[in-house]
Amino acid sequence: MYAEVIVDISHEAIDKSFSYRIPEDMVLHVGDPVLVPFGRGKKKAYVLSIHERVCFPEEKIKDIDSVLDKEFSVEEELLSLAVWMSREYGTGLNQCLKTVIPVKKKVKKRGKATKLLWKAEEAPLSLTKEQANVLEGIKLAFSKGEKAALLFGVTGSGKTEVYLKLMEEIIRKGKEVIFLIPEISLSFQTRSRIEKRFPGLVSVLHSKMSQGERAESMEKCRSGEVKILMGPRSALFAPFSNLGLIIMDEEQDRSYKSEQAPRYETRDVIRKRGELSSCPVLFGSATPSVQLFSEVEKGNLPCFCLHNRAVEGSTLPKMQVVDMRKELEEGNRSIFSRVLEGKIQERLDRGEQVMLFMNRRGYAPFVSCRKCGEALRCPHCDVSLNLHKNGILQCHYCGYQTNLPKICPNCKSKYLAAFGTGTEKLESICHSIFPKAGILRMDRDSTGKKGKYEEILQAFSEEKADILLGTQMIVKGHDFQKVTLVGIIAVDQILLDSDFQAGEWAYQLITQVSGRAGRGERAGEVLIQSYQPDHPLLELALKQDYLSFYKEEKNYRKRLSYPPFSVMLAMQCIYTEEAYLDYILGKLMPRVQERIRDGGGETYGPFPATVYKIKDKFRKIIYIKHSNHDIILQLRDYFIQELKQEDKRNLILLQFDLL
Ligand code: ADP
Ligand code: ZN
Ligand code: ZN
């Protein structure tokens, strides 16, 4: 038998592995640390895989020297994590290793490294009674050996302050903290708040960093130079060797789900990391995911609640749904209802600020011909092209761009017209209705350049503008005390999603957007414009009572046995030729369906994905459902094996989503 090993995983590019022979009497497992002859000496290595054969000449292969005792150095922990992820998410170990252990890259040093200093430059707030109780509760739970807990606090209840106090204690004990936040809420606000509290001890990760800069941040964790790593999901792989706590703020946020293989769910991976590092995990949210909250309900996860906002006098905003059908009936064709327009004006007159949410960027979501009805579509994807203000048509899936044609490509008429509204159009409308107001727009287009995102938030917080409008980006974590009105322009776009989790997402989004209003002493108000004002989800959102929402959602999921009442796996098969996909799946599905049925599971599909074609590739989805997690993984492996037999040249790309 032979083993593929990786030598010194922290220092080499991890693509490179070496083959060694396993001596007859040696028992070896994937992930074991071993000592191998390497160069002129011996080196520590880790076993990646075990094989019966190798394609090298026998005489060139050396024997593994010995198996080392597991000492749980951080490398070993991270390797075990990669091994676990590889199994859990059906992705090759190499790909998982690349995710877990960043390739080491040299960066040129700019300026001196910050020294380790301990002084609190910013005086900590004294906790409210509610915060103090929660803090004690969490500490007690962890000291009794609870592995995880949920801090469930309404928006503005001061969860961050509780995190900071916990961090302080962990650091005082000489341990380290990973602080996860959704990508987009890593604003100067959160960042400076933490950096001021722990000067010199914080390292940050974010998406605009180069690979070298990321490696540098990670290296500071390994060397002990910093004690806190703050960042989006990949910060969970910080190579701290004495980890004391992992905090995951806004646990429900969708950016925590990886969009590339391994398509991991951060919530689950940090629990594994916590287990390997013997450190507790704290989840925080105002709208916990149904998945997580079902554990609280079952009594498997201790939960600590903050019911009130922390700033004295601040209360949750007043919410109201505006019936847009009525507006139309009464002759108002504007994107603003009369009541929203009036209330915006009122705020402008009083010198208060307004936030407007719209979940579509660009100027208009589609352009079509008024003569033949044809819409302009992306040649590579199964979607319509978005019109942008600069007259360019853009595909929001693949980035394809083209100029707006003068005549219809189908019937040659010149009656092309843009329909619908995106953030750019909303911005122009705002300018014409409120000509004196300062207006900022925040979406992917306006924040493309480095630093632009922070610049907009900074300007708004310094009250250089009255209205901030934008997409999801304006929603998360921001704390602007002068904002007293939040408008959700077109909630129907969110309600119409057909995914079984759509209700949950909509509820979370509405709560988060609304949570931006009235965070200071002045009361806040939220207006939600809708063409289906009686939608049950809106009623639940208006109540601002998570438990009622959860109860409804739970009943619905239970009735249809959706997660968390079952385990569901979405398997996407992706290929450029539709006919080939159909042919292969047609041959293989009867066997797969039979096997899954025999195993007590259910299959659905293959269905075309919601967007069937992206970047010239077709996507078919098969769902499998079972009550048992491990059986789902076995059924998945069976599918992989069967697909390999039919698709001999490995043309079809497979993607798994564990739901
Ligand atoms: P959350 O994360 O729960 O939405 P934050 O931690 O952002 O809430 O806190 C909301 C606001 O309350 C912030 O402006 C913060 O400075 C303030 N705050 C938090 N704790 C206290 C406290 N103990 N006393 C006074 N203000 C507080
Ligand atoms: Zn036409
Ligand atoms: Zn496209």
Side-chain angles (χ1 to χ4, degrees):
M1 298 289 270
Y2 303 88
E4 280 291 301
V5 307
I6 188 161
V7 178
D8 235 353
I9 56 180
S10 54
H11 296 289
E12 303 290 333
I14 49 178
D15 292 3
K16 222 171 175 177
S17 60
F18 302 90
S19 298
Y20 286 86
R21 191 180 303 102
I22 308 175
E24 286 283 322
D25 52 348
M26 189 181 279
V27 183
L28 214 56
H29 306 98
V30 170
D32 280 347
V34 289
L35 202 65
V36 293
F38 195 86
R40 266 185 241 151
K42 283 178 186 168
K43 272 197 166 179
K44 184 174 175 177
Y46 294 96
V47 178
L48 286 183
S49 54
I50 294 171
H51 308 273
E52 279 177 34
R53 271 183 290 275
V54 275
C55 47
F56 299 112
E58 228 356 78
E59 63 279 7
K60 284 202 173 168
I61 296 188
K62 295 178 185 160
D63 276 17
I64 290 180
D65 190 277
S66 55
V67 188
L68 297 171
D69 283 337
K70 285 206 180 190
E71 48 183 282
F72 281 102
S73 66
V74 67
E75 280 83 11
E76 227 166 282
E77 257 171 55
L78 292 174
L79 184 79
S80 305
L81 197 60
V83 171
W84 178 82
M85 284 172 74
S86 164
R87 170 91 194 107
E88 182 77 6
Y89 301 107
T91 307
L93 186 56
N94 239 12
Q95 188 60 40
C96 290
L97 278 171
K98 276 185 211 164
T99 308
V100 170
I101 301 156
V103 177
K104 199 165 171 172
K105 274 214 165 176
K106 291 240 157 44
V107 270
K108 281 199 185 114
K109 278 267 176 287
R110 294 153 307 188
K112 276 180 235 152
T114 30
K115 279 236 178 72
L116 232 160
L117 282 176
W118 175 263
K119 50 177 177 159
E121 284 190 353
E122 193 193 58
L125 295 165
S126 61
L127 295 185
T128 62
K129 199 153 170 239
E130 214 184 13
Q131 283 170 319
N133 285 339
V134 156
L135 178 68
E136 282 316 305
I138 294 171
K139 285 198 305 202
L140 191 66
F142 288 158
S143 72
K144 280 186 179 163
E146 290 287 354
K147 293 197 170 82
L150 169 65
L151 172 53
F152 175 20
V154 299
T155 53
S157 58
K159 294 184 284 292
T160 314
E161 210 50 44
V162 176
Y163 302 148
L164 291 174
K165 283 280 192 314
L166 282 167
M167 290 183 193
E168 223 172 279
E169 291 209 5
I170 300 289
I171 292 171
R172 202 168 286 140
K173 285 185 197 153
K175 296 189 172 186
E176 298 124 0
V177 181
I178 294 173
F179 182 33
L180 300 176
I181 49 178
E183 175 76 57
I184 216 68
S185 51
L186 184 60
S187 62
F188 70 101
Q189 263 182 343
T190 14
R191 196 169 158 173
S192 69
R193 209 162 146 194
I194 300 227
E195 282 174 346
K196 273 186 197 155
R197 197 69 77 78
F198 305 102
L201 298 179
V202 186
S203 187
V204 175
L205 280 191
H206 59 79
S207 64
K208 301 249 159 90
M209 280 174 144
S210 68
Q211 216 183 18
E213 287 171 315
R214 296 171 64 82
E216 190 179 44
S217 278
M218 289 299 204
E219 189 48 39
K220 282 184 184 165
C221 302
R222 185 194 311 278
S223 67
E225 191 181 326
V226 298
K227 299 291 175 192
I228 300 170
L229 182 69
M230 173 160 86
R233 58 171 191 262
S234 56
L236 88 93
F237 305 116
F240 284 129
S241 53
N242 197 11
L243 196 56
L245 179 65
I246 305 173
I247 298 170
M248 181 178 180
D249 192 28
E250 308 278 10
E251 164 275 329
Q252 82 294 341
D253 196 87
R254 285 169 74 185
S255 72
Y256 281 127
K257 172 81 186 269
S258 169
E259 290 302 325
Q260 305 145 4
R263 291 157 77 92
Y264 62 89
E265 189 73 75
T266 301
R267 191 196 307 134
D268 302 328
V269 185
I270 57 172
R271 287 183 139 174
K272 189 68 194 174
R273 173 90 206 255
E275 187 189 312
L276 292 168
S277 306
S278 316
C279 97
V281 169
L282 179 64
F283 299 103
S285 180
T287 50
S289 63
V290 170
Q291 188 86 31
L292 195 74
F293 202 76
S294 71
E295 290 186 45
V296 173
E297 203 192 12
K298 281 186 224 146
N300 296 340
L301 183 74
C303 174
F304 301 91
C305 304
L306 294 170
H307 300 281
N308 303 296
R309 284 194 158 171
V311 172
E312 208 174 313
S314 165
T315 49
L316 287 176
K318 210 173 87 192
M319 291 171 76
Q320 183 188 337
V321 174
V322 185
D323 186 348
M324 292 306 278
R325 293 171 312 191
K326 227 167 160 186
E327 292 293 311
L328 204 60
E329 263 168 39
E330 291 169 15
N332 177 19
R333 308 181 121 252
S334 156
I335 183 137
F336 287 114
S337 58
R338 288 157 296 175
V339 50
L340 180 56
E341 189 180 323
K343 282 185 190 292
I344 296 175
Q345 191 57 56
E346 206 177 280
R347 295 322 195 272
L348 297 175
D349 295 342
R350 291 209 297 254
E352 295 170 5
Q353 287 179 303
V354 178
M355 280 167 93
L356 299 176
F357 170 77
M358 167 118 228
N359 77 340
R360 273 193 186 133
R361 66 190 172 94
Y363 189 79
F366 58 97
V367 173
S368 61
C369 171
R370 279 194 292 192
K371 192 155 177 223
C372 73
E374 201 83 351
L376 301 179
R377 302 178 72 79
C378 175
H380 308 289
C381 308
D382 193 13
V383 292
S384 61
L385 290 166
N386 287 261
L387 181 64
H388 283 248
K389 217 163 137 188
N390 49 11
I392 286 180
L393 290 167
Q394 207 190 81
C395 170
H396 285 181
Y397 280 82
C398 72
Y400 169 85
Q401 290 195 353
T402 183
N403 287 317
L404 178 64
K406 296 226 161 42
I407 52 167
C408 168
N410 186 43
C411 75
K412 313 283 181 249
S413 90
K414 43 184 190 182
Y415 305 113
L416 285 175
F419 293 92
T421 307
T423 45
E424 286 178 355
K425 187 162 168 192
L426 181 65
E427 185 186 19
S428 337
I429 297 172
C430 278
H431 274 298
S432 63
I433 302 184
F434 311 108
K436 286 197 194 124
I439 297 167
L440 290 167
R441 190 187 93 227
M442 191 151 90
D443 52 31
R444 194 145 23 116
D445 305 303
S446 72
T447 55
K449 287 204 191 89
K450 202 170 176 170
K452 209 59 196 156
Y453 170 72
E454 310 251 304
E455 207 176 279
I456 296 172
L457 289 176
Q458 180 84 35
F460 195 61
S461 79
E462 287 170 2
E463 296 170 39
K464 287 183 181 150
D466 309 289
I467 300 175
L468 173 63
L469 64 89
T471 55
Q472 257 81 342
M473 287 192 166
I474 66 167
V475 176
K476 309 235 172 78
H478 312 309
D479 195 33
F480 303 112
Q481 307 230 341
K482 274 276 180 84
V483 172
T484 58
L485 176 66
V486 166
I488 301 179
I489 302 298
V491 82
D492 307 280
Q493 293 163 6
I494 310 163
L495 299 175
L496 287 174
D497 197 325
S498 63
D499 194 287
F500 81 92
Q501 298 171 89
E504 175 176 1
W505 294 332
Y507 182 85
Q508 287 162 347
L509 189 72
I510 295 171
T511 309
Q512 292 292 328
V513 181
S514 309
R516 301 313 109 208
R519 291 172 76 90
E521 283 154 19
R522 275 184 252 188
E525 221 180 323
V526 178
L527 256 62
I528 306 174
Q529 303 196 140
S530 175
Y531 285 94
Q532 32 183 342
D534 308 319
H535 196 290
L537 198 107
L538 288 181
E539 261 168 59
L540 287 167
L542 284 199
K543 268 192 174 171
Q544 302 194 61
D545 172 21
Y546 176 83
L547 292 179
S548 331
F549 155 76
Y550 173 76
K551 222 173 110 198
E552 287 291 323
E553 187 66 23
K554 186 185 93 175
N555 290 338
Y556 153 70
R557 304 247 184 128
K558 200 169 186 171
R559 210 167 49 238
L560 301 171
S561 77
Y562 280 131
F565 298 96
S566 67
V567 187
M568 234 166 105
L569 180 75
M571 308 193 291
Q572 269 202 61
C573 302
I574 305 170
Y575 189 57
T576 41
E577 278 167 45
E578 199 178 2
Y580 183 75
L581 258 185
D582 285 341
Y583 170 70
I584 295 291
L585 288 177
K587 273 177 79 175
L588 145 107
M589 278 317 284
R591 290 203 302 275
V592 170
Q593 272 155 345
E594 190 183 318
R595 169 72 187 261
I596 290 173
R597 213 179 315 116
D598 290 349
E602 291 168 60
T603 35
Y604 306 88
F607 303 118
T610 318
V611 179
Y612 185 29
K613 189 177 79 171
I614 300 177
K615 294 189 191 171
D616 295 314
K617 292 197 171 101
F618 294 89
R619 308 167 165 252
K620 290 244 160 138
I621 303 191
I622 299 150
Y623 292 98
I624 57 179
K625 208 153 81 168
H626 198 284
S627 56
N628 184 293
H629 172 266
D630 290 344
I631 294 180
I632 281 277
L633 299 191
Q634 284 164 22
L635 294 174
R636 176 198 67 199
D637 293 346
Y638 174 75
F639 184 84
I640 296 175
Q641 177 199 319
E642 290 297 303
L643 183 68
K644 253 190 202 147
Q645 269 195 20
E646 298 296 344
D647 176 33
K648 291 210 163 53
R649 282 184 295 158
N650 245 329
L651 299 173
I652 297 176
L653 177 70
L654 254 183
Q655 260 179 16
F656 302 108
D657 251 322
L658 202 51
L659 303 169

